[in-house]
Amino acid sequence: MTALDHQLLDVNGITLSLYSAGPLDGYPVWLLHGFPECWHSWRNQTQALAEAGYRVLVPEMRGYGQSSAPTDPAAYDVFSICADIQAAMNALGQDKLCVIGHDWGAQIAWHLALLEPQRVESVVGMAVPFGGRAKKPAIEIMRQIHADSFNYIVYFQTPGVAERELDADIAKTMRMMMHNSSAAVPKDFFLQAKPLGARLFDGMQDPGALLEWCSEEAFAVYLQTFDGRGFYGALNWYRNFERNWELSASIAGQRVEQPALFIIGDKDPVATLEAYTLKRMPELVPRVEQHVLEDCGHWIQNEKAAEVNRLLLEFLARHA
């Protein structure tokens, strides 16, 4: 296995836990995880990229693991989270690099590409496409559509509600999240219709065991990420749709002009949620190269690690 370095950086008013691997003089590649994962979700990519000579940087994002988890939900807007990464880049003296993100990490990667057009020379998004700034916050639309039915993002909005369910059994929560939005279940099983007042895991399957792409050793790192803390920091990312929209006025209409790669699984429920955005993305990211991986759910970098690594290495070879 590739040797890992670890450091705690004081940046942007928080402590940022950062893992890194590969030669110190290698081209920097940042890997940003999503919800509810951890830095170790990039274990396959960290090794492959480091062995290829890249300097790989994998933070525990704000609210996760050893990084700070502010109690105020307003501390988790995308621009504050981008500022964490930007300050870390400054501290490490990096002026040219690639940013790769999955799920919420993809949102941060797309925004870093907008905010840092000179430093971020190329960008990769997985699962979550770039849709630009909407005419109004997406949460308003979700609340209207789901006024009489369950929606998991609406369910996440009130502090303490989702925490009571997710924190009750962290191992079960992680098994359920991994299983019910992977290729092990029918497409969009995670999005099944439920009545208002339902909970996240109502109607879903508890596999009772780990999926083949997550070993017991890897799962232990996921659990450690939330041990003693629970999910409140991770859930707070979802509580900033209005704030993100208000703060993004200055970049409204901007396109991601850098070379870009987008990868999604054919069974990822996000593909259903973001169907319109996926069609529109080439207008907003004119240099994007898109790939849909077959028999793959939401956890793309582990469900299809070899295919993802191949696409990343080919992309970086052209643009890093």
Side-chain angles (χ1 to χ4, degrees), residues 107-184:
Q107 285 280 38
I108 303 303
W110 296 125
H111 279 79
L112 284 169
L114 292 176
L115 296 169
E116 296 270 10
Q118 301 303 316
R119 176 152 52 183
V120 178
E121 294 187 307
S122 58
V123 59
V124 180
M126 298 187 196
V128 175
F130 178 70
R133 186 176 188 264
K135 294 182 179 179
K136 59 182 178 180
I139 193 64
E140 291 186 16
I141 300 170
M142 294 178 203
R143 285 183 168 131
Q144 292 170 3
I145 294 174
H146 295 281
D148 299 312
S149 62
F150 177 85
N151 174 270
Y152 78 95
I153 294 178
V154 175
Y155 176 67
F156 287 171
Q157 292 306 300
T158 304
V161 174
E163 284 92 329
R164 282 193 290 273
E165 180 183 7
L166 274 60
D167 291 356
D169 187 334
I170 290 175
K172 179 180 178 181
T173 290
M174 293 308 301
R175 286 198 311 271
M176 296 277 280
M177 288 297 298
M178 289 179 177
H179 178 79
N180 288 283
S181 49
S182 73

Side-chain angles (χ1 to χ4, degrees), residues 64-301:
Y64 289 81
Q66 300 168 80
S67 292
S68 297
T71 56
D72 183 1
Y76 294 82
D77 67 84
V78 295
F79 295 93
S80 294
I81 297 166
C82 282
D84 296 344
I85 307 303
Q86 290 170 286
M89 293 170 177
N90 291 340
L92 298 172
Q94 298 174 349
D95 58 3
K96 300 293 181 183
L97 48 85
C98 174
V99 179
I100 299 170
H102 172 256
D103 188 80
W104 270 108
Q107 285 280 38
I108 303 303
W110 296 125
H111 279 79
L112 284 169
L114 292 176
L115 296 169
E116 296 270 10
Q118 301 303 316
R119 176 152 52 183
V120 178
E121 294 187 307
S122 58
V123 59
V124 180
M126 298 187 196
V128 175
F130 178 70
R133 186 176 188 264
K135 294 182 179 179
K136 59 182 178 180
I139 193 64
E140 291 186 16
I141 300 170
M142 294 178 203
R143 285 183 168 131
Q144 292 170 3
I145 294 174
H146 295 281
D148 299 312
S149 62
F150 177 85
N151 174 270
Y152 78 95
I153 294 178
V154 175
Y155 176 67
F156 287 171
Q157 292 306 300
T158 304
V161 174
E163 284 92 329
R164 282 193 290 273
E165 180 183 7
L166 274 60
D167 291 356
D169 187 334
I170 290 175
K172 179 180 178 181
T173 290
M174 293 308 301
R175 286 198 311 271
M176 296 277 280
M177 288 297 298
M178 289 179 177
H179 178 79
N180 288 283
S181 49
S182 73
V185 298
K187 179 174 169 56
D188 294 339
F189 186 75
F190 187 81
L191 303 176
Q192 61 187 275
K194 290 187 283 193
L196 194 66
R199 299 190 307 167
L200 179 64
F201 295 135
D202 290 351
M204 295 193 189
Q205 303 172 359
D206 182 355
L210 299 177
L211 295 166
E212 62 179 8
W213 47 264
C214 186
S215 68
E216 291 285 353
E217 293 77 13
F219 193 65
V221 181
Y222 284 78
L223 298 186
Q224 187 178 26
T225 298
F226 302 100
D227 183 41
R229 169 178 286 179
F231 293 91
Y232 83 91
L235 287 165
N236 279 339
W237 288 52
Y238 285 89
R239 295 166 181 157
N240 280 273
F241 282 94
E242 291 97 340
R243 184 172 171 79
N244 291 338
W245 187 82
E246 292 168 359
L247 293 173
S248 64
S250 62
I251 58 172
Q254 287 189 25
R255 303 193 307 177
V256 175
E257 300 287 356
Q258 296 96 320
L261 174 66
F262 179 72
I263 314 172
I264 194 167
D266 62 346
K267 294 185 177 180
D268 190 337
V270 176
T272 298
L273 294 174
E274 299 285 358
Y276 174 75
T277 303
L278 286 168
K279 291 180 181 178
R280 187 167 178 257
M281 188 165 60
E283 302 172 22
L284 303 172
V285 191
R287 300 174 70 184
V288 69
E289 170 190 330
Q290 300 189 62
H291 295 270
V292 179
L293 302 190
E294 295 183 2
D295 195 31
C296 181
H298 184 63
W299 317 108
I300 186 166
Q301 68 264 47

